[in-house]
Structures are given as C-alpha cells and as structure tokens.
Amino acid sequence: MADGPLTRVLAKAGGERTLELLAELPGADLTTLMLAVMRERAARMSGPDLVRRGLTDRFVAPSGIGFDRLRAAESAALDALPPSFEKVTLSPLAPLGLHSVVGTVHQNKVVSTVRGTEVAADPTNGLALEAAIRRRDDAKNVVRLATAQRVVRAQHVDGPALFAHFTLLGLVTAGRDTGNLGFEREHAPELIRAMTTAVRAQVDGPLEVRLTVLDPRYTVVADAIRAAIPGEVADDPGRESGRGYYTGLCFKLFCHAGGEWCELGDGGFVPWTQELLGNRKERLFIGGLGVDRLATL
C-alpha cells in the first residue's frame, strides 16, 4: 500500500491500480514507456533550467575535493594492494535490485534508471556479482577482486565528510566453505591487512581495526585477525550498524588524524554469493574504503 508522497501522486495518476499496472508491465514495455516520459520531460527543459539543476542538485554537482588530490589517493590505495587481488573495472551501472535484493539496501537509497538498471551504490555489490559469475564457471579457485569506483547514494546526508557521490575502494574474496571456518580464518585477515596497507601507503598515523563478533563461533576468526595485525585490533561489541547486513563477523577501520579517530572503512562476511549461486557452501568476505575521506586527511 502506498503512503505519504506516493499516495498524493497516485491520487493524481489514477490511484494505486496505476502503480500495479506499471509494475506488472514486461521490462521492455516499461522501458519503452519510461523512455517516452523522459523524452517529453527533457524536451521541456531549457538552458537556464539545466543551470539551475547544476546549482541545486547534489547528485550532479562536482566533488569538493580536488581532482589531483583524489586521483592521487585512489592510485596510492590501489598500488598498495597485494597482487593476489585482481583489479577490475566495473560498470557504473548494476542490474536493477542488486543492492536491495542481495545487499538489503532499501531501493529508495539507490538511483534507479529507466532501463532496468541502477547506478552503482557500492563497488562490493558489483564485485560480488562478478565473483559469483567466475565461481559459477570455476568453483575450485578462490576469487579475489578489487576496484575503485565512483558511486552514488540517494539518501540525504549532511556533514563535512559526507557526499552524494564519492569514490570507494572495494575488495572481495569469494570461495567455498572448507570446514571448521577455515576459509574465514584465512581470508578475513588477508583482506583486512590489504586495506590497512592501502591506508598506510598515504597516512602516517595510528590505525585501529574494530571487530564485532556477531556469532560466537567466529571468535576464532577474530583471533586470526588479531594475530595477523598485532597491536591494531580492538573489540567493538556494542556496534549497532551492520547487524542484519553482515553475518558472523564485521569490522570498521579507523585512522587517528587531526586529534580524533576518523572512520575510513567497513566490511564483513555477507551471504551474497550464496544467494546469487543458490549454494549455501559459498563464502564471501568484503571490505570498502572511503577514498574521498582518505584524500581529505
């Protein structure tokens, strides 16, 4: 049932049955209809209209971070990654529903298009899809992928380090359950260490990996991470964000700069490749690093 602004709009457009009819249209037919709507709306735009949008629309405004500064941070982070992570170039678009169906992100927080796609909101979703495709074709090998991608998020944010579009360094490791949390104990420390190395390539300050164990069985995974990154790991049992998104164990990466701790990265175990491949034996560990935040330190 519609509510709020949608109820008002549907009242003008013929009621909720209009929404149902549009949702039931085959994909190609809906695309044809929406393209016609966009042509009509674009035809009514003028040059001054575009200037006004450029001045007021946070989705199209340029980043406030200088190009060279951001590019340098992105290059330094990518260059610092171990060669075991294959760098790929993702499309700026993803299949419609990739973030909400697999990643449990509300569709209203993603910029959907009229062609059955959506603008990338997180590179780890796109990397997970690519990893699942590769694992479908060759399930014997562990897949490690990395990328840097400019992404867009539709929810309203307000703050000096919060942006409508920004660059994220994404890493994923996909493989198969080997029993006794063997995959988890081996590959979680590997990916987190790769992220800390990427930060250390350009930031000279203390780092802290804050671990949250969501399942008591994953205590052994946390122990493996502490052993791999000695002196830089802290427990964060009170973390609220990410519960229901991550499984088993999750983490945040902080750097101490300017007299305070700054959050730079986030990650954990997710069931995405299980859902994409329909196989509960699949395992996936992900991590994301905010390149814009790294560039502003």
Side-chain angles (χ1 to χ4, degrees):
M1 296 294 291
D3 55 21
L6 182 57
T7 300
R8 174 180 55 80
V9 174
L10 289 177
K12 296 180 179 179
E16 290 197 13
R17 184 55 183 159
T18 300
L19 179 61
E20 295 171 3
L21 290 172
L22 290 174
E24 291 169 1
L25 281 177
D29 291 350
L30 181 60
T31 297
T32 299
L33 175 62
M34 292 306 298
L35 286 174
V37 171
M38 292 300 107
R39 284 198 305 271
E40 288 293 325
R41 293 180 69 88
R44 300 174 186 178
M45 299 294 289
S46 67
D49 291 332
L50 297 176
V51 172
R52 281 192 292 272
R53 287 295 299 272
L55 290 170
T56 60
D57 191 333
R58 61 194 176 92
F59 291 115
V60 302
S63 170
I65 302 173
F67 179 88
D68 291 338
R69 188 177 186 182
L70 184 60
R71 185 62 178 270
E74 177 183 308
S75 296
L78 286 169
D79 291 345
L81 295 178
S84 56
F85 283 88
E86 179 186 347
K87 301 181 184 71
V88 297
T89 302
L90 294 177
S91 168
L93 299 178
L96 181 67
L98 180 64
H99 300 85
S100 61
V101 175
V102 176
T104 68
V105 174
H106 197 288
Q107 194 65 35
N108 285 356
K109 297 181 180 180
V110 181
V111 179
S112 305
T113 80
V114 299
R115 294 183 181 270
T117 60
E118 57 195 35
V119 180
D122 192 316
T124 59
N125 293 80
L127 291 175
L129 179 60
E130 176 63 20
I133 292 171
R134 296 189 184 197
R135 295 248 339 127
R136 184 197 60 173
D137 296 335
D138 181 6
K140 295 181 180 179
N141 293 320
V142 172
V143 176
R144 301 175 182 85
L145 300 176
T147 194
Q149 186 179 42
R150 198 76 181 169
V151 301
V152 179
R153 297 198 180 162
Q155 70 265 39
H156 183 72
V157 293
D158 187 20
L162 300 173
F163 315 98
H165 59 87
F166 47 91
T167 300
L168 287 176
L169 175 73
L171 298 93
V172 304
T173 302
R176 193 172 182 84
D177 177 27
T178 58
N180 197 31
L181 294 175
F183 174 91
E184 292 83 351
R185 288 186 285 114
E186 177 181 357
H187 295 292
E190 176 189 60
L191 187 147
I192 294 176
R193 189 167 54 237
M195 288 180 60
T196 59
T197 301
V199 174
R200 287 203 177 282
Q202 46 201 315
V203 175
D204 184 17
L207 300 184
E208 188 170 87
V209 177
R210 301 181 185 176
L211 297 180
T212 302
V213 176
L214 303 172
D215 181 338
R217 297 182 303 120
Y218 281 71
T219 300
V220 295
V221 182
D223 291 340
I225 295 171
R226 293 188 191 94
I229 314 172
E232 295 182 344
V233 178
D235 293 327
D236 187 14
R239 170 178 172 169
E240 293 298 329
S241 64
R243 295 180 182 270
Y245 186 87
Y246 296 114
T247 62
L249 176 146
C250 57
F251 71 93
K252 285 183 178 290
L253 176 58
F254 287 79
C255 174
H256 196 267
E260 60 182 6
W261 287 101
C262 175
E263 181 182 337
L264 295 178
D266 185 71
F269 290 100
V270 290
W272 301 347
T273 47
Q274 293 181 24
E275 298 171 25
L276 289 166
L277 295 173
N279 189 333
R280 294 182 62 82
K281 290 290 186 179
E282 289 294 318
R283 297 292 182 265
L284 182 68
F285 192 68
I286 68 170
L289 183 67
V291 178
D292 290 55
R293 290 189 179 184
L294 194 57
T296 59
L297 291 179

